[in-house]
Amino acid sequence: MIQSAKDINDAFSAGRFHTQRFMKNAGSTGDSQWQDWAFASGQPAYDARIGDALAFTPQIASRNDAIFFPGISAGQTRHLAGLRAYVTSGGTGQLNVECEMYDLLGVYPLIDGDNTDLQPMDNTESLPRYADGVGVQAVLVNHVAPAITAGCATTINYVDADDAARSMTVYTSTFGAGKSSWAFDVAGVSTGALYLPISGRGIKSVTDLTFAVAPGGLWAIYLVRPIQRVNWRGGLAAVTQTVYTEKCLCLEDSFNPPRIYDGAHLGFFYMPNGSSRSVSLFGSASFIWG
């Protein structure tokens, strides 16, 4: 267990740490819009989040489909010790990028944007981690085929972490494939929100979804556990220097940095601020265990 400064020092002294590099090529256009980095090539590899339509598809990391970390022995716990990155190789073309590391627990893929009937979800499979749903969030993503109509009222029924039936209504946006594409306003143009406005302590499953008006395209609902948010700042466009960002997490929660469970499917949502992410994002994540 990692629960004190001594535990952290002992982990590094005993060689129980690993640093994993990642690199993603330029993302799609869209300033101030949350995007899933899985839709860009690089390492980890491109992943369009495909599965059987409307069936919850659990995500368990394997090889290059998420940020890699080593296995650990029984009785040990693994933690995220640090993040570091550049948002551009030369310090130009990007002001800054807000990034949210997530553990992708599963996806409801291929929701039909041309269908205005109630679309029931298949919950044969359950959450592979965080089974109680506490702290789990939901993201509505336009994936594979882009939507064509914004402002379509979308009702989502779900079960919260206390097994209570809940409902929400949001509105579609047309930000593009691979992006969190919902809004609070009927115009469907507000930006900034990543997670759907669930009630309670978290979400266990989605029951069904209904589009009041067809937005077009294909959609997915992700269930994720947020891990850590960090702002990676690039250089000003007029300055040709590289700006490097590092965040040490060893002091989080009284020397108990974010825990990373076996099978965690780690990736990032990112939101460019000031310009579209037209350049590569690369860096590394460090893990310790004990």
Side-chain angles (χ1 to χ4, degrees), residues 2-287:
I2 302 292
Q3 295 181 314
S4 68
K6 181 179 184 303
D7 294 337
I8 294 171
N9 287 334
D10 288 348
F12 282 108
S13 296
R16 298 193 305 270
F17 65 91
H18 174 79
T19 297
Q20 181 64 34
R21 174 185 177 273
F22 54 78
M23 188 281 292
K24 279 293 185 177
N25 292 314
S28 58
T29 59
D31 181 20
S32 299
Q33 297 168 2
W34 284 104
Q35 305 180 33
D36 181 5
W37 82 342
F39 288 80
S41 61
Q43 185 180 9
Y46 171 90
D47 183 356
R49 312 302 196 201
I50 300 299
D52 293 334
L54 308 182
F56 181 70
T57 306
Q59 300 293 305
I60 299 174
S62 176
R63 301 175 67 85
N64 191 36
D65 60 356
I67 296 174
F68 172 81
F69 49 79
I72 57 177
S73 301
Q76 293 182 325
T77 60
R78 180 191 305 104
H79 298 261
L80 180 67
L83 292 169
R84 58 205 62 80
Y86 299 97
V87 295
T88 167
S89 59
T92 60
Q94 178 62 61
L95 296 183
N96 61 82
V97 179
E98 190 84 9
C99 291
E100 176 95 343
M101 177 182 269
Y102 60 80
D103 177 357
L104 178 63
L105 306 177
V107 179
Y108 296 91
L110 302 177
I111 300 169
D112 187 357
D114 294 320
N115 186 353
T116 56
D117 295 333
L118 183 146
Q119 299 188 58
M121 304 299 158
D122 178 350
N123 285 294
T124 301
E125 300 286 349
S126 57
L127 294 172
R129 298 171 297 284
Y130 307 98
D132 59 5
V134 174
V136 176
Q137 301 289 330
V139 186
L140 180 63
V141 176
N142 181 197
H143 78 150
V144 185
I148 58 174
T149 304
C152 301
T154 305
T155 299
I156 301 171
N157 294 311
Y158 63 98
V159 176
D160 72 10
D162 296 306
D163 295 316
R166 303 271 192 170
S167 184
M168 73 177 91
T169 298
V170 295
Y171 300 89
T172 61
S173 62
T174 52
F175 296 152
K179 299 180 181 180
S180 174
S181 294
W182 67 275
F184 287 109
D185 63 290
V186 69
V189 296
S190 64
T191 62
L194 171 59
Y195 301 119
L196 288 167
I198 63 171
S199 300
R201 299 185 301 149
I203 179 172
K204 277 188 176 179
S205 63
V206 177
T207 306
D208 55 61
L209 175 148
T210 305
F211 294 116
V213 177
L218 291 169
W219 299 76
I221 296 176
Y222 297 7
L223 297 187
V224 305
R225 184 61 157 80
I227 300 296
Q228 185 68 39
R229 182 170 291 195
V230 60
N231 190 306
W232 288 332
R233 297 188 178 278
L236 297 175
V239 180
T240 58
Q241 65 182 10
T242 298
V243 179
Y244 179 81
T245 297
E246 181 171 11
K247 188 168 187 178
C248 176
L249 303 174
C250 291
L251 302 182
E252 295 281 303
D253 298 326
S254 300
F255 303 105
N256 187 19
R259 184 172 177 180
I260 305 299
Y261 288 91
D262 290 346
H265 200 285
L266 300 178
F268 286 98
F269 289 106
Y270 64 87
M271 182 175 67
N273 295 304
S275 63
S276 299
R277 190 175 75 82
S278 57
V279 292
S280 296
L281 168 69
F282 58 98
S284 62
S286 294
F287 304 90

